[in-house]
Amino acid sequence: MKKILLTTFALFAFAFNSILCRMALGKDEIDAASFTVVRLASGAAVLAVISYFFSRRKCRSPRVSKGVTLKSRVTPLLTRGL
């Protein structure tokens, strides 16, 4: 049920975003290049906030079997010449 609600929310958000874009560009209040810069900057800001809150959670590292290291994985690749 949660997936359906989140998917529905995302679809409505995309539709609303499209309507806002048409409203902003349709009245010649801002040119397309400036509007793109504003959208990219605001998207980067929102992404930074979201990543900040998710990075505060405790991250569990994937379990690695005993004796397996990065060196043991990379060395065979390097000796083969990639």
Side-chain angles (χ1 to χ4, degrees), residues 25-77:
L25 293 173
K27 296 180 182 177
D28 292 330
E29 294 177 2
I30 188 171
D31 63 312
S34 300
F35 185 70
T36 302
V37 169
V38 169
R39 287 187 69 195
L40 286 174
S42 62
V46 170
L47 186 60
V49 170
I50 290 171
S51 66
Y52 171 76
F53 283 111
F54 277 101
S55 68
R56 292 179 56 188
R57 292 182 179 179
K58 289 185 178 180
C59 295
R60 285 195 255 166
S61 60
R63 294 184 181 208
V64 178
S65 55
K66 189 175 181 180
V68 177
T69 62
L70 180 63
K71 184 178 179 182
S72 68
R73 297 279 183 161
V74 172
T75 304
L77 295 174

Side-chain angles (χ1 to χ4, degrees), residues 1-19:
M1 185 67 174
K2 185 178 178 181
K3 287 183 183 180
I4 293 172
L5 289 174
L6 290 175
T7 302
T8 304
F9 175 75
L11 289 173
F12 277 110
F14 280 122
F16 188 64
N17 183 34
S18 177
I19 292 169

